[in-house]
Amino acid sequence: MENKTQLKRSLKLWQVVMMGLAYMTPMVVFDTFGIVSDVTNGHVPTAYIVALIGMLFTAVSYGKLVRVFPEAGSAYTYTQKAISGHLGFLVGWSSLLDYLFLPMVNALLTKIYLNALFPNVPTWIWVVGFVGLVTFLNLRSINMLANFNTFFVLVQLVIMVVFIILVVQGLHHGEGYGGFSIKPLFNAGMHFGTLVTGATILCFSFLGFDAVSTLSEEAINPAKTIPKAILYTALWGGVIFTVTSFFIQLYYPDISRFKHPDAASPEIALYVGGKLFQSIFLCITFINTLASALASHASVSRLLFVMGRDKVFPDKWFGFVHPKWKTPAFNVIFVGVISLSAIFFNLVTATSLINFGALMAFTFVNLSVINHFFIRGKQRSFKGFFSYLLLPLIGAASVAILWFNIEKSSLIMGTVWFVVGLLYLIYLTKAFQIAPPKYEEEAAV
């Protein structure tokens, strides 16, 4: 085989973590607060802790697999190599539904935000401009992209620290609980059932910690860097969500002050800091969206690259790496074109597309650990039973709870997408008579 340009290994641990946090969007805590506060009767931070514990089991499963398969294909690669090639393709195809449409959702959110500020400007201009910027930055260099995302995440953290300071001042003036209290975390009237319901909603805020696994071929020493990055992204994301929601809950013990509890973010900022702070807060929300778009655009480009390199998609295009920029340039442009569909989509339809693929990936990552280590590898000592059977089973059970609570529209559209992938797989494998094509690294040397 001819030698091809490869992705460049240059990312350090902190850069990968920042990419993961950017994907997760720390400020999403404000968007979901009103809904979850109502569901949990004022115990949002506790619900975040429950959600974090559930997600950490899956994060650990990702870490175990990336040490064995340090490639950019994420759940696609893990399922392919740990269970079967046919199933791996279907998991990868399903994951594309999540990865491919999240950049479009961010473009759609940007259109909504800027249209509210500038109603006389045609909305397609905002979509084209936003997608053009995100695509350009993704084309150039993964290091430049990681540095941009680091800056954007730090900006979000700064505004959240300022918010907490304003909350503390408000508490001293008698707002909310009128001071520090542990009631947002625990009181005698809380119910575990409502906490689980709230945690189920909040688990979707953690989607993105897994996306850093798509950077495995651009990270320095990926077998060590990526497992740590996955765990740190989930853990630090959980800490940010929990601490911030704790202070929001101190200020707002219930949702009685909100006119729109399902979209309480602007009201939260207004009541805590006034109109000036609200304006700054909403500007940072745009940065939040840009950071998520940059990270999600990069992730899906890498997943498409691995599937192209395997030749399940045309290798000439999807397996191409730009010789100068060391980025999967065709995939970056392709994702940009898909993102332009934000001109036509509405938010309800768009968001219903993204959860199915993530849950499919989470499910089969946990099952891949069991099959690779416990069943095939026969690591059945007490340590093996605990690490390679019990923990991933708990992870899979946590994801099963999310499956039971997935929106009907997401399930329907995800099933349609899955069936399309199944039909393509039947064509690709001549009705399962042959295995799906797979890249053999040693053949490229």
Side-chain angles (χ1 to χ4, degrees):
M1 288 180 61
E2 57 180 290
N3 290 328
K4 291 186 176 182
T5 305
Q6 301 295 312
L7 299 172
K8 182 181 178 182
R9 293 199 182 279
S10 57
L11 293 178
K12 299 175 182 176
L13 175 61
W14 64 270
Q15 291 175 305
V16 180
V17 171
M18 286 297 179
M19 289 283 285
L21 289 175
Y23 196 112
M24 284 175 63
T25 59
M27 289 182 67
V28 73
V29 62
F30 294 96
D31 297 321
T32 56
F33 178 81
I35 299 171
V36 180
S37 183
D38 185 34
V39 169
T40 62
N41 298 314
H43 298 98
V44 177
T46 310
Y48 265 117
I49 293 172
V50 175
L52 173 61
I53 292 171
M55 288 294 99
L56 283 178
F57 289 104
T58 299
V60 169
S61 290
Y62 270 97
K64 290 170 182 172
L65 290 168
V66 79
R67 289 187 180 93
V68 184
F69 310 117
E71 300 175 23
S74 191
Y76 160 70
T77 295
Y78 308 149
T79 309
Q80 176 198 66
K81 296 190 173 183
I83 302 179
S84 81
H86 295 94
L87 192 56
F89 171 81
L90 291 173
V91 170
W93 177 268
S94 299
S95 298
L96 282 175
L97 191 62
D98 168 33
Y99 285 126
L100 195 57
F101 286 101
L102 186 57
M104 184 268 284
V105 169
N106 284 298
L108 180 55
L109 288 171
T110 299
K111 179 181 77 172
I112 293 170
Y113 295 153
L114 295 181
N115 184 58
L117 294 174
F118 307 99
N120 295 324
V121 178
T123 56
W124 66 266
I125 291 178
W126 303 125
V127 174
V128 172
F130 182 82
V131 171
L133 175 62
V134 170
T135 302
F136 172 76
L137 292 175
N138 263 280
L139 277 173
R140 296 307 300 266
S141 161
I142 191 65
N143 274 87
M144 181 178 73
L145 188 67
N147 292 335
F148 265 106
N149 265 331
T150 298
F151 172 73
F152 292 149
V153 170
L154 291 177
V155 168
Q156 293 177 64
L157 294 179
V158 167
I159 198 69
M160 292 168 86
V161 169
V162 172
F163 172 84
I164 290 173
I165 292 171
L166 292 173
V167 166
V168 172
Q169 291 178 348
L171 293 174
H172 284 309
H173 289 90
E175 293 283 0
Y177 279 107
F180 184 85
S181 172
I182 65 166
K183 289 183 179 180
L185 287 170
F186 175 80
N187 67 39
M190 64 192 298
H191 299 284
F192 184 73
T194 60
L195 288 177
V196 172
T197 303
T200 300
I201 299 171
L202 295 176
C203 276
F204 292 109
S205 300
F206 287 86
L207 302 187
F209 72 84
D210 59 305
V212 302
S213 60
T214 62
L215 302 175
S216 294
E217 295 182 37
E218 291 160 288
I220 299 170
N221 195 359
K224 290 185 177 180
T225 299
I226 298 299
K228 289 181 180 178
I230 292 171
L231 190 61
Y232 291 168
T233 300
L235 188 59
W236 282 111
V239 169
I240 293 168
F241 293 149
T242 303
V243 171
T244 306
S245 64
F246 174 75
F247 282 96
I248 302 174
Q249 197 79 78
L250 284 176
Y251 201 94
Y252 302 102
D254 55 50
I255 62 170
S256 59
R257 292 182 66 177
F258 300 138
K259 296 178 182 177
H260 305 286
D262 57 338
S265 181
E267 293 181 78
I268 291 172
L270 176 64
Y271 300 146
V272 169
K275 287 190 174 295
L276 177 60
F277 178 75
Q278 183 192 42
S279 299
I280 297 171
F281 183 91
L282 293 176
C283 288
I284 303 303
T285 300
F286 170 74
I287 291 178
N288 178 56
T289 304
L290 178 58
S292 178
L294 289 170
S296 56
H297 200 120
S299 295
V300 68
S301 299
R302 273 66 185 173
L303 176 56
L304 287 168
F305 164 72
V306 174
M307 297 182 80
R309 187 175 62 187
D310 278 350
K311 294 185 172 62
V312 296
F313 296 147
D315 180 34
K316 180 180 179 181
W317 303 105
F318 291 94
F320 171 75
V321 175
H322 194 281
K324 180 180 178 181
W325 299 329
K326 301 294 190 294
T327 58
F330 173 82
N331 296 338
V332 171
I333 295 171
F334 175 75
V335 175
V337 172
I338 296 295
S339 299
L340 290 175
S341 62
I343 295 172
F344 313 106
F345 269 91
N346 62 60
L347 188 59
V348 174
T349 303
T351 52
S352 69
L353 292 169
I354 63 176
N355 291 334
F356 182 91
L359 296 187
M360 185 72 78
F362 286 3
T363 299
F364 280 94
V365 163
N366 284 299
L367 296 180
S368 293
V369 169
I370 296 171
N371 199 62
H372 181 75
F373 294 101
F374 190 78
I375 297 177
R376 285 185 183 175
K378 297 182 179 180
Q379 299 191 37
R380 299 172 186 173
S381 63
F382 176 78
K383 179 182 178 181
F385 175 83
F386 181 78
S387 297
Y388 303 128
L389 181 62
L390 182 59
L391 293 185
L393 277 177
I394 296 174
S398 300
V399 178
I401 294 173
L402 300 182
W403 276 115
F404 282 116
N405 289 273
I406 192 171
E407 292 180 352
K408 184 178 180 181
S409 59
S410 183
L411 186 60
I412 292 172
M413 299 184 77
T415 301
V416 171
W417 179 266
F418 181 87
V419 170
V420 172
L422 179 61
L423 294 174
Y424 178 65
L425 179 64
I426 292 172
Y427 162 77
L428 192 68
T429 61
K430 302 184 187 304
F432 303 112
Q433 294 182 43
I434 61 174
K438 183 169 62 175
Y439 173 77
E440 298 294 345
E441 186 175 4
E442 56 273 14
V445 176

